[in-house]
């Protein structure tokens, strides 16, 4: 389903991709599997095609995408609040392109573990996949999990990884993005403080910043996203500690 993860059995180790993005491939038991992130924008009932390149053959595997009902939230606000002022549009577009590029990072070494720890203590508010409709116009669905926490609460790496981006963005505010390997990434945003630098390797649980309300946030909280093949997937699948 959209925002979910599909597991495909492979005949042998192979390179797999979906829509031009490399897909995570790993050993499982005596065989090999691909773990495919299903984009939230995928239409239920449609089929996704995963290209698999074996050393000696090429195959195409299909994923039938099921329906998942995500909550929907209708909001109305003054038009000047709902729209970006023209002078910010160019910056927003540039940042969007940059972040998309970062989210396509693929490193060959696979993740040490799929289990992630909750990056900051606190109640999980908001919800992954929530469809926001502002003044009757559908916005992109909520791509992460919001965790309520006081300003300044430490934020730690959900899993061992490498810092691939830090920045201060219009919507996301101060942000850290980690690469865990084979296209598995995690993103932490609205931070008040970032304490990690690009290129740095961080063990699971290492401090990378502090909770804040930078960017477009109504109050202090951590927005936490997990990506596979550049598709945001529900972080709840990976969190071991509730
Ligand atoms: Zn959020």
């Amino acid at each position: 389903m959209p925002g979910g993860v599909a597991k495909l059995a492979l005949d042998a180790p192979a390179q797999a991709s979906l829509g031009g993005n490399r897909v995570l491939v790993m050993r499982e038991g005596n065989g090999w599997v691909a773990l495919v992130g299903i984009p939230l924008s995928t239409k239920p009932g449609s089929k996704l095609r995963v290209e698999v390149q074996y050393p000696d053959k090429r195959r195409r595997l299909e994923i039938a995408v099921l329906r998942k009902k995500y909550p929907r939230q209708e909001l109305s606000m003054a038009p000047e609040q709902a729209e970006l002022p023209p002078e910010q549009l160019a910056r927003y577009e540039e940042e969007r392109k940059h972040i998309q590029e970062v989210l396509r990072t693929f490193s060959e070494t696979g993740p040490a573990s799929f289990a992630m720890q909750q990056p900051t203590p606190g109640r999980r508010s908001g919800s992954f996949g929530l469809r926001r409709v502002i003044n009757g116009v559908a916005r992109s669905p909520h791509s992460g999990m919001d965790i309520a926490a006081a300003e300044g609460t430490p934020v730690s790496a959900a899993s061992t990884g490498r810092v691939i981006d830090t920045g201060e963005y219009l919507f996301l505010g101060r942000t850290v993005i980690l690469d865990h390997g084979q296209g598995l990434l995690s993103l932490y945003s609205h931070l008040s403080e970032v304490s990690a630098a690009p290129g740095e390797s961080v063990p699971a649980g290492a401090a990378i910043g502090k909770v804040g309300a930078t960017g477009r946030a109504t109050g202090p909280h951590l927005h936490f996203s997990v990506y596979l093949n550049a598709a945001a997937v529900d972080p709840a699948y990976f969190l071991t500690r509730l």
Side-chain angles (χ1 to χ4, degrees):
M1 49 207 157
V5 179
K7 192 196 273 186
L8 305 176
L10 302 178
D11 301 344
Q15 254 192 35
S17 63
L18 172 69
N21 292 322
R22 289 277 302 274
V23 159
L24 187 149
V25 171
M26 63 169 190
R27 193 173 249 295
E28 191 183 71
N30 292 326
W32 291 83
V33 294
L35 279 190
V36 188
I38 311 299
L40 269 170
S41 57
T42 313
K43 284 208 173 21
S46 64
K47 285 197 164 67
L48 290 179
R49 286 166 190 89
V50 177
E51 304 289 341
V52 183
Q53 181 68 58
Y54 293 104
D56 56 339
K57 61 185 176 182
R58 198 172 173 83
R59 288 285 178 271
R60 180 179 278 180
L61 300 175
E62 281 193 340
I63 302 171
V65 180
L66 305 176
R67 183 171 304 277
K68 166 139 189 185
K69 232 180 146 72
Y70 287 108
R72 195 181 144 98
Q73 187 181 42
E74 305 253 3
L75 296 169
S76 21
M77 53 177 80
E80 59 272 22
Q81 261 187 298
E83 302 302 327
L84 266 185
E87 67 273 17
Q88 288 190 344
L89 259 179
R91 177 182 162 193
Y92 169 73
E93 268 308 308
E94 210 160 287
E95 289 182 358
R96 199 178 57 86
K97 268 188 228 143
H98 167 74
I99 293 164
Q100 276 183 338
E101 196 55 44
V102 173
L103 293 180
R104 296 189 65 204
T105 301
F106 190 93
S107 43
E108 295 297 333
T109 307
S113 153
F114 286 95
M116 293 187 176
Q117 53 191 64
Q118 188 168 318
T120 198
R123 199 175 60 84
R124 298 174 183 184
S125 57
S127 92
F128 175 82
L130 177 75
R131 300 188 179 271
R132 274 173 293 205
V133 181
I134 301 176
N135 296 345
V137 181
R139 299 301 171 101
S140 44
H142 189 226
S143 59
M145 165 187 281
D146 290 341
I147 302 169
E151 174 105 20
T153 309
V155 172
S156 58
S159 180
T160 298
R162 189 173 57 92
V163 182
I164 49 170
D165 191 66
T166 63
E168 181 158 8
Y169 303 114
L170 207 54
F171 277 69
L172 295 175
R174 294 199 179 112
T175 297
V176 176
I177 305 177
L178 300 183
D179 169 19
H180 306 290
Q182 288 268 322
L184 178 66
L185 312 181
S186 59
L187 174 150
Y188 312 76
S189 61
H190 306 309
L191 304 175
S192 59
E193 210 178 278
V194 165
S195 56
E200 208 180 303
S201 290
V202 288
I208 53 170
K210 288 184 172 161
V211 170
T214 55
R216 283 219 165 171
T218 47
H221 73 279
L222 175 69
H223 172 95
F224 172 55
S225 288
V226 175
Y227 293 86
L228 269 176
N229 50 269
V233 293
D234 192 345
Y237 294 132
F238 298 88
L239 292 179
T240 49
R241 207 166 55 191
L242 296 181

